[in-house]
Amino acid sequence: MAVKKNNTAAKDFKYYNKKFWKIFLYGMAGIILFFLFASWGLFGSMPSFEELENPESNLATEVISSDGETIGKFYNENRTAIKYSDLPKHLVDALVSTEDERFYEHSGIDGRGTLRAFSSFGTSGGASTITQQLAKLLFHGEGSKFLPFRMVQKVKEWIIAIRLERQYTKQEIIAMYFNKADFVNNAVGIRSAAKVYFGKEPRDLKIEEAAVLVGMLKNPSLFNPIKEKRKQMVFDRRNTVLGQMVKNGHLEEAAKESLSKKPLVLDYHPENHNEGIATYFREYLRDFMKTWAKDNPKKDGSGEYDIYRDGLKIYTTIDSRMQLYAEEAVTAHLENLQKEFFKQAKTNKNAPFIKLSDAETDALMSRARKASERWRQMSAQGKSDDEITKSFSVKTDMTVFTWKGEKDTIMTPNDSIRYYKHFLQTGVMAMEPETGHVKAWVGGINYKHFQYDHVGQGARQVGSTFKPFVYATAIEQKGYSPCDSIIDAPYTIPKGRHNVTETWTPRNSNGTYKGMTTLSAALANSINTVSAKLIDQVGPDAVIDLVKKLGVNSKIPSQPSIALGAVEITVEDMVAAYSTFANQGVYVKPQVITRIEDKNGVVLFEAVPESHDVLNKDIAYAVIKLLEGVTQYGSGGRLRTDGGGFGYEMMTGYPYVLRNPIAGKTGTTQNQSDGWFVGMVPNLATGVWVGNEDRSAHFKSITYGQGAVMALPIWGLFMKKCYADKELNVSKEPFERPKNLSIKVDCWTPPTKKDTTAVEPEQNTDEFDF
C-alpha cells in the first residue's frame, strides 16, 4: 500500500515538475516574444537608430543681445539645450541621489529597484531610472492608466532605455534629461528653469536652489514653487533632496542642517512674449524672422526653419543695458506725466478727446470697437453688428493696465476703450550712427495691453524736427552757413507757387519777429518764417529728395508746409536720418541682427551693412553745429540745467546737468498731439516720440504738450543712465570737425544773462501749429 502511495506521489511530482517547467519556459518565451514584438514595433512605433541618434528636440529660438544676454525666446516649449559641462556638480549629484541612486551602476534598468517595486506592488516607490524617465520624455510621453497598455508602455520604456544607454554616455543622458524635463511656468529644461525661478544660469545655482529644481521633478505641478499654498511642500521637498545628497555621500550633514534652515527664496522671471525687456523689439524681430525663414529654406531640402522648434540663435545689436535704461526712462517720465493728463481730463466731459463733435466721437469709438478682439470673436460667432455693439455697453469683469500694475475692475467695454485712449504712448530708438546698430527699441508703454509698435510701425507728424532737413538742403544748394543772416519777418508764398492752392503766410506762435537773425539762432528758436523762406528758395522737391536719401520711406507731399513738419515719419526713420549728420554725411541703414546660427552653431545669416553718401562732411558738420545751438540756447537748453524751467521743474524736477556737446531738436505738432526730441552725441543717436493713440486726445496747452516736456525728459533720463554705466562708453567728446572746414560754423553769441531754464516753447503757426 505504501509503495502505491509512493509511486503516485512520484508521478504527481513528475507531472507538476514537468508542468512547472513547461509554464516557466512558455512564460519566459512569452516574455521574450513580448519584448521582441515591442522592440519590432508591433505594439506601436519604436524609435529608429536615426531617431536615437538625433532625438526630437523642439528647442526654443534665443534672442541674444550684443552684450551676450538672452533677452527673449520664440518657442512652443521654452527649452534651450545646454551641455553637461554647463551643469554644476551639486546639481547632478542632487539628481542622481534623489531620482536614481544606482544610475552609474545599471545599464538603463535598475534590477534591484524593479524587484522591490514588484514585490511591494509599487507601495515602496517606482523603479524608473533616469534613463527610463528620459525614454518616456523623448519618445512616448505620459503613461496610460489602463494596466495592459501601461505594461506595454513600460516594456517599451525599458527597451528604449537600454538602447539609449548603448548610444549615449551617462553624462550625455543626464544632460538630455535636464534639457527635456518640464518645470512648468513656461520653463522646459534646466536652463529655462534656472532663469525663470532664480534669474541665473544653471552653473550659478546654489546647492539649495538646485535642490528645489530637482525636487520639482517628482511632480512639477504639485511642487510648483510660485504657488503660495505649495511653498511649505516645496520647502520640505527641497530638504528631502538635501537629505538624499547626505545619504549618498554628496553633502556633509552639517552643511545639510545649515541649508535646510534657509528660507525658500525665488527670483521669479517669467519668460513669455508679454514679459521681460524689449517686448516690442522681439515682436518686430518675430515678423522679420518669419519672412527670413520663407526666403532662406534649409539647405537639406527639408523645408523652412521653424523659429519655435529649431533652436536658432539670433544675435542682435540691442544692448540689454541700454534697453533696460530706455524702458526705465519711459516708465519714470510717463508715469509722472500721465498723472497730469488724467488731472486735466477730469474737467473734460468728452475726455480724453478735445474739440471733437459728438458725431466725430461716435465715429472714432465705432472704429475702435470694430478693431477690438471682442468684435472679432463675436463676429466669428455669427453675431450681428447691432448685437455686438450693444455688448459694448454691458459691464463686465476685466483686468486693466495702470502705472501701478494691473487692476481688476468692472466696466463696460466702451468705457475701457475711452480709458485706454487716455494713455500717453511712446516710441524710443537708440542707434550707433557709424554702424547702424540699434541699441535700444521701446515701441510703447506695455506690450501686453498696447501692442502697436511706435518705433517701426507707427508714423506720426514730426513737427519742427523736420526743419533740419530744410536747413541742410539750403546749405547744400544755396551755399548758406549757420552764421549767415536772414530776416525773420512776415513771409508769404503766393498761390500757385510750389503747388500752393491758397496763399500761405505762416506766423510765429507768439506773433513777434526778431528781424535780422542768423540761421543758427533761427533753428535754435524754431522760427517758422525762416523755415518757410528757405523752402521757398530751394523748393519742396529738393527737400523731399534729400529726405529720401536719408532713408525716410514716408510719402511726403510736395508742399511748402512740410517745412513746418506736416509730415508723418517713423521714429526709426527719423533716428537714421539724423544719424547721417553725426556720421559725416554717410547714411547707414538701421541694423538689428548681426548673425543667425542654427542649434549647432552653424552661421545661417550674417548681416552686411547698407550705406551710401548723402552729404559731404562739411555740410553734415554744419547741420550738427545748428543742432548743437538748439541744446545750448533753444528748446533743448533745459538739458544743461539742474531743474527744467517753464513750469517743468514743478512737474518732474529732473536734474540733467549734461555739459557735453549734444546735437538735437524738439518737435511739437498741431494741438500738442505729438511731442518729439531727437538727440545725438558722436556715437549714439536717440529719437523719442510721445503722444496719445488718437491725435484728438492731447494736452490742452503747450505747457505740457510740447516736445521739450513730453519727449525730451525721456532722452535726458536715458542718457544720464547710459553715462552712469561706464562700460557703455557713450561719448562725451565733441563731434569730429572736418579738416579744412569750408563752411563758417562758429558764430554763436550767447544771449546776455539769458535764463536758459525758462526757454520758450518752440514756435508754432496758427495754421499748422508746428
Side-chain angles (χ1 to χ4, degrees):
M1 196 68 159
V3 174
K4 190 176 182 179
K5 285 184 178 180
N6 288 336
N7 288 337
T8 303
K11 288 180 180 180
D12 287 346
F13 174 78
K14 287 181 180 180
Y15 172 79
Y16 286 115
N17 185 47
K18 186 177 181 180
K19 193 168 187 176
F20 167 79
W21 283 108
K22 205 172 188 180
I23 292 172
F24 176 78
L25 291 173
Y26 279 135
M28 289 300 295
I31 292 172
I32 292 170
L33 284 174
F34 187 75
F35 272 82
L36 281 173
F37 289 159
S39 67
W40 292 341
L42 296 183
F43 300 140
S45 62
M46 291 286 286
S48 65
F49 176 84
E50 289 75 17
E51 288 175 309
L52 286 172
E53 183 73 26
N54 298 293
E56 183 183 4
S57 55
N58 201 9
L59 296 175
T61 287
E62 281 189 272
V63 181
I64 302 170
S65 68
S66 61
D67 54 317
E69 295 294 324
T70 298
I71 59 175
K73 296 179 183 177
F74 304 126
Y75 57 83
N76 291 327
E77 290 183 356
N78 182 18
R79 173 154 36 88
T80 304
I82 62 173
K83 299 176 181 177
Y84 181 86
S85 57
D86 296 319
L87 301 172
K89 184 177 183 300
H90 56 258
L91 177 64
V92 175
D93 291 341
L95 174 68
V96 174
S97 298
T98 307
E99 294 294 318
D100 191 355
E101 292 176 318
R102 287 175 290 279
F103 174 70
Y104 296 106
E105 300 168 14
H106 63 66
S107 298
I109 301 173
D110 181 3
R112 287 168 57 186
T114 302
L115 288 173
R116 185 194 69 237
F118 272 121
S119 63
S120 66
F121 298 99
T123 57
S124 63
S128 287
T129 64
I130 290 173
T131 317
Q132 287 175 250
Q133 293 178 48
L134 175 61
K136 187 195 305 184
L137 290 172
L138 285 176
F139 297 109
H140 70 267
E142 293 298 320
S144 171
K145 293 182 180 179
F146 186 50
L147 184 59
F149 289 166
R150 180 67 190 123
M151 288 176 63
V152 170
Q153 288 179 329
K154 198 68 180 176
V155 169
K156 290 170 67 177
E157 186 181 295
W158 286 338
I159 294 169
I160 297 170
I162 292 170
R163 290 180 177 178
L164 286 172
E165 289 275 352
R166 290 176 181 172
Q167 191 72 26
Y168 296 101
T169 67
K170 291 287 186 179
Q171 291 182 345
E172 289 172 330
I173 288 171
I174 284 179
M176 290 170 67
Y177 178 72
F178 267 129
N179 284 329
K180 188 67 178 177
D182 189 347
F183 293 85
V184 299
N185 298 312
N186 280 328
V188 181
I190 191 64
R191 184 163 186 250
S192 292
K195 284 274 192 178
V196 168
Y197 294 113
F198 299 106
K200 58 180 64 174
E201 293 289 341
R203 63 176 174 269
D204 300 320
L205 288 170
K206 298 176 182 177
I207 295 176
E208 66 273 20
E209 294 169 341
V212 170
L213 297 180
V214 169
M216 291 179 68
L217 294 170
K218 182 177 182 179
N219 188 328
S221 296
L222 182 64
F223 297 104
N224 185 345
I226 69 167
K227 298 292 186 182
E228 195 61 38
K229 293 181 179 179
R230 309 277 172 81
K231 288 289 178 71
Q232 186 60 45
M233 292 177 63
V234 175
F235 179 85
D236 294 339
R237 178 64 182 163
R238 179 200 70 178
N239 290 349
T240 297
V241 173
L242 295 174
Q244 285 295 110
M245 294 179 72
V246 172
K247 176 185 173 184
N248 287 273
H250 297 304
L251 188 66
E252 296 293 332
E253 180 66 35
K256 179 250 183 184
E257 290 299 320
S258 175
L259 292 172
S260 296
K261 296 175 182 177
K262 289 190 174 184
L264 189 66
V265 179
L266 301 177
D267 186 8
Y268 185 54
H269 292 77
E271 291 186 347
N272 60 55
H273 301 311
N274 295 327
E275 304 285 349
I277 67 171
T279 47
Y280 290 90
F281 171 74
R282 283 188 269 140
E283 189 59 32
Y284 171 88
L285 191 62
R286 190 213 303 262
D287 288 340
F288 173 89
M289 289 300 298
K290 287 179 180 177
T291 302
W292 178 86
K294 288 180 180 179
D295 295 340
N296 297 271
K298 296 178 181 178
K299 292 182 179 180
D300 61 6
S302 59
E304 297 177 10
Y305 284 100
D306 187 337
I307 65 172
Y308 303 105
R309 295 174 60 87
D310 285 342
L312 304 179
K313 284 184 169 54
I314 308 170
Y315 291 89
T316 72
T317 61
I318 296 293
D319 186 291
S320 67
R321 297 158 297 183
M322 286 189 178
Q323 180 68 33
L324 179 62
Y325 299 153
E327 293 181 10
E328 289 175 343
V330 164
T331 298
H333 179 57
L334 290 190
E335 180 180 1
N336 200 16
L337 191 61
Q338 190 66 53
K339 295 175 184 176
E340 179 62 28
F341 192 91
F342 275 125
K343 179 181 177 182
Q344 293 187 18
K346 287 182 179 179
T347 60
N348 177 11
K349 293 181 180 180
N350 197 28
F353 313 119
I354 295 177
K355 297 180 181 179
L356 215 61
S357 68
D358 291 344
E360 290 171 327
T361 302
D362 289 343
L364 186 153
M365 291 293 292
S366 178
R367 289 194 299 270
R369 284 192 290 268
K370 291 180 178 179
S372 69
E373 181 65 14
R374 169 182 285 269
W375 190 285
R376 187 193 67 78
Q377 289 181 359
M378 294 185 71
S379 180
Q381 295 169 6
K383 303 291 185 182
S384 69
D385 286 2
D386 286 342
E387 287 178 301
I388 301 174
T389 300
K390 286 180 181 178
S391 76
F392 277 81
S393 298
V394 178
K395 288 189 175 183
T396 183
D397 293 331
M398 61 180 68
T399 302
V400 298
F401 168 81
T402 78
W403 276 111
K404 299 297 183 183
E406 289 186 336
K407 178 182 178 181
D408 293 329
T409 187
I410 300 175
M411 65 170 69
T412 69
N414 277 331
D415 288 339
S416 72
I417 290 174
R418 278 187 180 266
Y419 171 73
Y420 278 125
K421 288 186 180 295
H422 279 76
F423 281 94
L424 294 161
Q425 300 295 329
T426 189
V428 181
M429 191 182 99
M431 177 181 126
E432 292 177 346
E434 186 175 0
T435 64
H437 288 186
V438 175
K439 310 310 291 183
W441 180 302
V442 186
I445 59 175
N446 183 282
Y447 182 76
K448 181 178 179 180
H449 293 277
F450 307 95
Q451 296 190 354
Y452 192 78
D453 181 6
H454 292 284
V455 171
Q457 189 177 5
R460 295 292 292 240
Q461 288 192 0
V462 296
S464 291
T465 53
F466 193 85
K467 290 177 180 177
F469 306 140
V470 178
Y471 279 67
T473 306
I475 293 171
E476 181 183 43
Q477 298 207 355
K478 297 296 181 180
Y480 278 116
S481 84
C483 301
D484 285 341
S485 295
I486 194 167
I487 296 176
D488 171 22
Y491 189 78
T492 297
I493 297 179
K495 179 180 178 180
R497 189 155 75 200
H498 306 310
N499 302 316
V500 174
T501 56
E502 298 291 339
T503 298
W504 186 49
T505 307
R507 293 181 294 174
N508 298 330
S509 65
N510 58 10
T512 63
Y513 303 92
K514 298 181 179 296
M516 194 63 70
T517 186
T518 63
L519 288 184
S520 188
L523 185 63
N525 291 287
S526 205
I527 298 175
N528 289 331
T529 57
V530 172
S531 295
K533 184 176 292 187
L534 292 176
I535 201 169
D536 187 26
Q537 291 178 12
V538 301
D541 288 342
V543 177
I544 294 170
D545 183 58
L546 173 64
V547 170
K548 292 298 182 184
K549 291 178 182 177
L550 292 171
V552 174
N553 296 308
S554 303
K555 185 177 180 180
I556 302 175
S558 181
Q559 297 173 353
S561 60
I562 64 174
L564 308 185
V567 179
E568 293 185 348
I569 303 176
T570 64
V571 172
E572 181 182 12
D573 282 355
M574 285 297 287
V575 173
Y578 268 63
S579 292
T580 305
F581 302 131
N583 195 36
Q584 299 184 326
V586 179
Y587 168 82
V588 181
K589 186 177 181 179
Q591 183 176 313
V592 297
I593 297 176
T594 54
R595 71 183 187 278
I596 301 171
E597 295 179 357
D598 69 10
K599 63 183 179 183
N600 298 314
V602 177
V603 177
L604 306 175
F605 168 81
E606 201 149 17
V608 177
E610 295 182 36
S611 64
H612 58 261
D613 293 339
V614 178
L615 299 166
N616 70 44
K617 294 181 179 181
D618 290 4
I619 295 173
Y621 186 72
V623 177
I624 287 292
K625 296 304 288 185
L626 285 170
L627 294 172
E628 283 186 353
V630 175
T631 66
Q632 289 172 321
Y633 312 112
S635 56
R638 63 199 68 205
L639 290 170
R640 311 296 186 182
T641 71
D642 57 4
F646 195 63
Y648 174 69
E649 68 281 354
M650 65 184 179
M651 181 184 70
T652 60
Y654 300 138
Y656 304 114
V657 201
L658 298 175
R659 305 302 189 200
N660 54 289
I662 298 169
K665 186 71 185 78
T666 55
T668 307
T669 65
Q670 188 175 17
N671 297 326
Q672 302 81 238
S673 295
D674 304 272
W676 286 81
F677 184 73
V678 183
M680 298 179 288
V681 295
N683 65 352
L684 192 67
T686 305
V688 182
W689 166 85
V690 172
N692 292 76
E693 177 186 311
D694 290 282
R695 300 195 78 248
S696 54
H698 52 78
F699 279 108
K700 295 179 180 178
S701 71
I702 197 74
T703 302
Y704 290 95
Q706 59 177 302
V709 172
M710 290 204 291
L712 178 143
I714 293 174
W715 192 94
L717 289 171
F718 169 65
M719 291 300 291
K720 282 200 71 175
K721 290 174 180 288
C722 287
Y723 281 133
D725 190 335
K726 303 301 181 183
E727 291 184 0
L728 294 178
N729 295 316
V730 177
S731 176
K732 288 188 175 182
E733 301 303 313
F735 290 88
E736 184 178 349
R737 187 184 183 100
K739 295 179 180 179
N740 304 315
L741 181 64
S742 61
I743 300 175
K744 185 179 180 182
V745 297
D746 301 314
C747 49
W748 258 104
T749 302
T752 305
K753 295 183 180 180
K754 181 176 180 180
D755 180 8
T756 58
T757 68
V759 180
E760 294 179 353
E762 63 179 274
Q763 307 300 304
N764 304 294
T765 69
D766 292 338
E767 194 168 358
F768 290 99
D769 219 11
F770 298 109

